[in-house]
Structures are given as C-alpha cells and as structure tokens.
C-alpha cells in the first residue's frame, strides 16, 4: 500500500480530531440531562455487534449516534478533499455503508438508531431525541401489560 500524500499541518490537525466527547456530543448530553433523561455513554447496545453508540437509552432501546459532517458524508456539509481524493471518498463512503449496516443490525435487535449531525444545534437534536425516547418508552410499556413508562 502506498503512503498517503500529506503535510505536517494536515497530519497534526487530523491527529487532534476527537472521536468521543466532542463539543456537540457534550452539549447534547447536557440538554438531555436537563430534560430529565438518564442514559449511558459510549456503549455497545447489542452484544455481538461491534458498534458503539454515543448515547444509549437501554429501557427504551434507543441508540444515539452523533455523526461528524466530514466523516459521515453529511448531505449538506460534506466536503471532498482534493488531496488523496480516492482514499477519502472510499473512506467516507465506507463509513456511510457501515452506518446503514449499524442501523439495520440494531433494528433487527429491536433497537432504534437516531442519527444526529454535528451541525444540528444541541437543543434541536435533544428535542428530537427526547420525543423519540418518550415515544419508545410508551410503545414498549404498552406491549407489557401492568407496566408504566419510565
């Protein structure tokens, strides 16, 4: 495999990219907590599926993924680098394929994947997640006679 063409500046910038606890993820978690929701962070929702969600709501079976616009090919903000274009296109398209596969695997196991783009405000994303979690709790409670939604 041939080495990628890069510059020291690009290598330094890429090495500083966070993959956990990003600013949008932290803001989203804060907004969800303020809304009264409790959750787990950076967990695998389904045993045997090597995919980690950023935020999970176990009883509601909701997994939240905060996707970066560059890394996951946001339809609004994705950019295609000119340098090493073939490598980056394959990398980003591979991420998209993996995201779809993750959503399908979770759905097959009774989980709902919620995707949040990094360009969304924490308040908008939190409102969407809160609605989904509360709806799922009600749906799951309705399937179990004698239990109330938590």
């Amino acid at each position: 495999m041939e080495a990628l063409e890069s510059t020291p500046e690009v290598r330094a910038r890429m090495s500083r990219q966070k993959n956990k606890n990003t600013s949008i993820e932290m803001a989203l978690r804060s907004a969800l907590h303020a809304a009264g929701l409790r959750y787990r962070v950076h967990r695998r929702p389904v045993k045997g599926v090597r995919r980690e969600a950023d935020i999970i709501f176990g009883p509601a079976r909701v997994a939240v993924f905060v996707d970066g616009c560059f890394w996951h090919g946001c339809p609004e903000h994705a950019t295609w680098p000119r340098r090493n274009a073939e490598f980056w296109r394959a990398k980003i398209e591979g991420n998209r394929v993996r995201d779809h596969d993750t959503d399908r695997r979770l759905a097959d196991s009774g989980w709902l994947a919620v995707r949040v783009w990094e360009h969304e405000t924490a308040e908008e994303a939190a409102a969407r997640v809160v609605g989904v979690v509360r709806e799922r709790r009600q749906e799951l409670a309705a399937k179990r006679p004698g239990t109330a939604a938590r």
Side-chain angles (χ1 to χ4, degrees), residues 1-146:
M1 182 174 168
E2 132 184 8
L4 292 177
E5 197 179 313
S6 187
T7 66
E9 294 82 16
V10 169
R11 281 193 297 278
R13 185 176 70 240
M14 296 305 262
S15 72
R16 288 190 304 267
Q17 294 294 314
K18 293 176 82 172
N19 64 357
K20 289 184 179 181
N21 302 321
T22 61
S23 58
I24 181 61
E25 186 182 329
M26 297 301 287
L28 175 60
R29 286 171 17 195
S30 178
L32 293 170
H33 193 272
L37 296 183
R38 301 302 178 256
Y39 47 81
R40 301 278 185 219
V41 297
H42 304 293
R43 299 271 175 98
R44 292 180 184 170
V46 178
K47 287 183 180 185
V49 177
R50 295 189 56 187
R51 310 289 165 80
E52 185 179 279
D54 296 306
I55 304 168
I56 65 167
F57 298 91
R61 300 177 72 85
V62 173
V64 180
F65 297 87
V66 181
D67 293 340
C69 290
F70 174 77
W71 298 104
H72 296 267
C74 170
E76 290 181 47
H77 301 104
T79 57
W80 298 107
R82 285 192 225 54
R83 186 175 291 223
N84 302 313
E86 196 174 304
F87 168 83
W88 285 111
R89 185 163 294 275
K91 170 71 175 154
I92 293 166
E93 291 297 337
N95 288 348
R96 285 177 168 172
V97 168
R98 187 188 65 237
D99 292 345
H100 289 295
D101 181 62
T102 297
D103 295 353
R104 181 192 55 76
R105 287 173 180 243
L106 293 180
D108 289 349
S109 296
W111 283 76
L112 176 64
V114 176
R115 298 274 168 185
V116 173
W117 288 107
E118 73 175 326
H119 69 260
E120 291 183 70
T121 68
E123 293 75 21
E124 291 170 341
R128 189 160 49 92
V129 171
V130 166
V132 167
V133 169
R134 288 184 176 153
E135 184 178 315
R136 289 279 293 194
R137 286 177 176 169
Q138 289 175 348
E139 289 172 4
L140 293 172
K143 291 180 182 177
R144 290 178 292 208

